[in-house]
């Protein structure tokens, strides 16, 4: 492995480690436990899990890997706050969505070369990218890795 | 900037963004607010802040940047759990420690080349590194970036 290949492989590994941590937390909970708030008055575990899926789904177009596969999740878990939507997917459905979205993402990024990673992501204009070349696809992966960890830290506080 | 330089610059930028987020949360709190638990019965904000400083201090030897500058923090914020140590540093002291440790880290990693980043970190043996070359310095930076985000997610839940 060259040094530059090693660098991107390390970033993808960190992403996978965080996904594994989230799966270990959310995937073992039953539907009742998923309704637990992480702290009094705060988001419920089910919302955090769905929120992560919706955010990862939106990474597909950002990384040039095609359209979102479940755009319907945005209204429930991105634009909609927790407890404002009456009917949420079940834990079984969320597990299936989680697997589908993350498998598709991973299949796409696994073939990325270093040159692919440093390309601009789709939400930045050509001009802005010239001004700031760090607004690249890797920046998306790293910020979403931190994002998983952010909500994992919250989810682990829940009294389940 | 070459593609490989861009890759590591992106990772360092993500690290700095997370530090900024933590500083915006912890740095604006007074000593009384720092005693708030993030959720009932959980760690207090002061502990999370000190914990991050102690973890970042320990990155110095891991990355080959010299000894820890504040090894005394480990007993308070790493091996010791919250509420088991009677006297903690004040917010002003923590801010100063935070700046000192992170400035020293950043000075060290700013000069790292791609080849430096993919070297093994100091806690892995030569044999283990041959078996898994992703146990490199960049992996430390990425995991500690996630670690900041993990506790930032918790800290933002605190009713301050």
């Amino acid at each position: 492995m060259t040094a530059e290949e090693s660098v991107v492989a390390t970033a993808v590994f960190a992403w996978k480690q965080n996904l594994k941590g989230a799966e270990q937390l959310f995937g073992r909970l039953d539907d009742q436990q998923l309704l637990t708030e992480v702290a009094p008055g705060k988001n419920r575990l089910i919302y955090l899990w769905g929120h992560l899926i919706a955010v990862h789904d939106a990474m597909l177009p950002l990384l040039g890997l095609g359209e979102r596969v479940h755009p319907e999740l945005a209204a429930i878990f991105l634009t909609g706050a927790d407890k404002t939507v009456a009917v949420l997917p079940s834990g079984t459905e969320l597990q299936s969505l989680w697997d589908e979205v993350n498998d598709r993402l991973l299949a796409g990024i696994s073939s990325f070369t270093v040159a692919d990673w440093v390309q601009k992501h789709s939400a930045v204009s050509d001009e802005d990218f010239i001004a700031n070349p760090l607004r690249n696809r890797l920046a998306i992966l790293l910020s979403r890795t931190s994002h998983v960890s952010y909500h994992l830290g919250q989810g682990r506080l829940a009294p389940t």
Side-chain angles (χ1 to χ4, degrees), chain A:
Chain A
M1 207 180 321
T2 65
E4 61 177 32
E5 285 167 353
S6 189
V7 163
V8 297
T10 303
V12 173
F13 182 73
W15 165 253
K16 290 197 279 192
Q17 286 294 100
N18 273 278
L19 291 186
K20 192 192 273 185
E23 178 143 354
Q24 281 168 351
L25 172 67
F26 297 112
R28 66 172 175 75
L29 302 173
D30 63 33
D31 283 348
Q32 196 55 44
Q33 292 172 311
L34 282 170
L35 299 180
T36 310
E37 293 175 334
V38 299
K42 303 295 181 180
N43 287 328
R44 295 171 299 174
L45 290 162
I46 193 168
Y47 185 83
L48 293 187
W49 198 12
H51 174 68
L52 290 178
I53 299 167
V55 167
H56 296 182
D57 196 27
M59 288 170 70
L60 290 166
L62 276 174
L63 298 176
L65 296 171
E67 292 305 305
R68 290 179 292 173
V69 289
H70 288 287
E72 75 281 6
L73 296 176
I76 311 176
F77 294 116
L78 287 179
T79 52
D82 190 21
K83 301 161 204 166
T84 62
V85 176
V87 181
L88 297 180
S90 68
T92 307
E93 288 167 325
L94 286 171
Q95 179 70 60
S96 165
L97 291 163
W98 170 265
D99 291 339
E100 181 188 5
V101 168
N102 288 316
D103 286 353
R104 183 170 298 220
L105 255 179
L106 203 58
I109 66 177
S110 294
S111 68
F112 275 7
T113 62
V114 175
D116 291 328
W117 277 116
V118 300
Q119 277 185 35
K120 81 177 189 68
H121 64 72
S122 71
V124 65
S125 70
D126 290 337
E127 298 73 35
D128 288 348
F129 185 62
I130 289 167
N132 184 356
L134 300 189
R135 300 184 66 177
N136 55 37
R137 290 166 167 176
L138 183 65
I140 296 291
L141 184 77
L142 297 181
S143 80
R144 299 314 184 267
T145 301
S146 284
H147 180 256
V148 174
S149 198
Y150 185 94
H151 290 303
L152 188 55
Q154 297 180 329
R156 290 233 180 95
L157 294 175
T160 56

